[in-house]
Amino acid sequence: MVSDFPDHRRPAIGVSTKLVVYRKFVGVIGVVIELERLSRYLAGIQVGMSGTAFIMDSGGHIVASADAEDLRRQEAGEMRALADITPADNGLLAITGEALKAHRVNLGEVTETRQLRLDSAGDGAGYFINVSPLHFNDWLVATVIPERDFLANIDRNSRILLYVLAFFTLAVAASAILLTNRLI
């Protein structure tokens, strides 16, 4: 983690490694990425129709998120804890905290992708949450996708099928009535 730059102070990640060409040490390569830039990248990713993705550390602190409040806090050098986020702040991040608590997930012990499902008490909707380790600085990437993003087409198709069956049933009943009336 890096935060001091020549012209400003912002949280960032820095990685450096030696550069060897033909078994000869040539120099060192360093890459620094500001967490704000990482958050803006996450904001550009479409996760389902209305889901989100974010990065947190093993202590449950938001490292990078598409949320505007987290971007503002990053500029101030703060990292907000997932447990402190309320549905009024960011519903999807709050759902993740709720799911982790409900499934008793210890973020420090997540070594492979964990898939969680939660029916929210707040809005009654279902959510799918994935938490995967990044193997960098004990970070985890999480995605939260409302169930309706997946099931919307199924629900729509079920309604269409119901309407078609109702129309077909009425058409057959009307035909039967007319045919019976003619025969009698």
Side-chain angles (χ1 to χ4, degrees):
M1 293 297 294
V2 184
S3 60
D4 293 323
F5 295 94
D7 60 342
H8 62 278
R9 182 174 170 79
R10 285 199 178 155
I13 54 174
V15 178
S16 61
T17 187
K18 65 181 179 177
L19 180 61
V20 177
V21 178
Y22 301 116
R23 294 187 204 152
K24 182 179 177 190
F25 175 76
V26 180
V28 176
I29 286 185
V31 177
V32 177
I33 301 172
E34 291 183 13
L35 295 183
E36 177 188 355
R37 182 176 215 104
L38 191 56
S39 291
R40 293 195 191 285
Y41 172 76
L42 290 173
I45 296 174
Q46 184 172 354
V47 181
M49 292 171 59
S50 59
T52 191
F54 62 96
I55 298 172
M56 62 185 157
D57 64 13
S58 60
H61 294 92
I62 304 299
V63 174
S65 164
D67 186 58
E69 175 65 16
D70 287 320
L71 281 169
R72 187 193 63 72
R73 286 177 182 254
Q74 282 175 347
E75 290 173 355
E78 302 172 17
M79 288 183 7
R80 158 166 91 149
L82 190 61
D84 297 337
I85 298 173
T86 65
D89 295 334
N90 183 313
L92 294 176
L93 295 182
I95 291 290
T96 304
E98 192 178 325
L100 292 172
K101 187 184 293 184
H103 290 277
R104 296 187 178 111
V105 175
N106 180 350
L107 294 175
E109 296 175 359
V110 175
T111 57
E112 58 185 36
T113 300
R114 295 282 309 265
Q115 298 175 345
L116 311 172
R117 186 183 179 290
L118 179 75
D119 289 322
S120 172
D123 60 5
Y127 295 88
F128 296 109
I129 299 101
N130 281 344
V131 179
S132 299
L134 285 177
H135 305 294
F136 173 79
N137 231 16
D138 292 328
W139 287 2
L140 303 116
V141 64
T143 58
V144 188
I145 305 172
E147 190 176 67
R148 69 178 176 271
D149 285 5
F150 294 109
L151 302 179
N153 288 337
I154 293 172
D155 291 341
R156 183 181 57 81
N157 291 342
S158 295
R159 279 193 303 278
I160 290 171
L161 180 62
L162 178 67
Y163 295 146
V164 168
L165 286 174
F167 174 76
F168 181 70
T169 303
L170 288 174
V172 168
S175 299
I177 290 171
L178 288 175
L179 196 62
T180 304
N181 193 18
R182 277 208 150 159
L183 289 175
I184 294 176

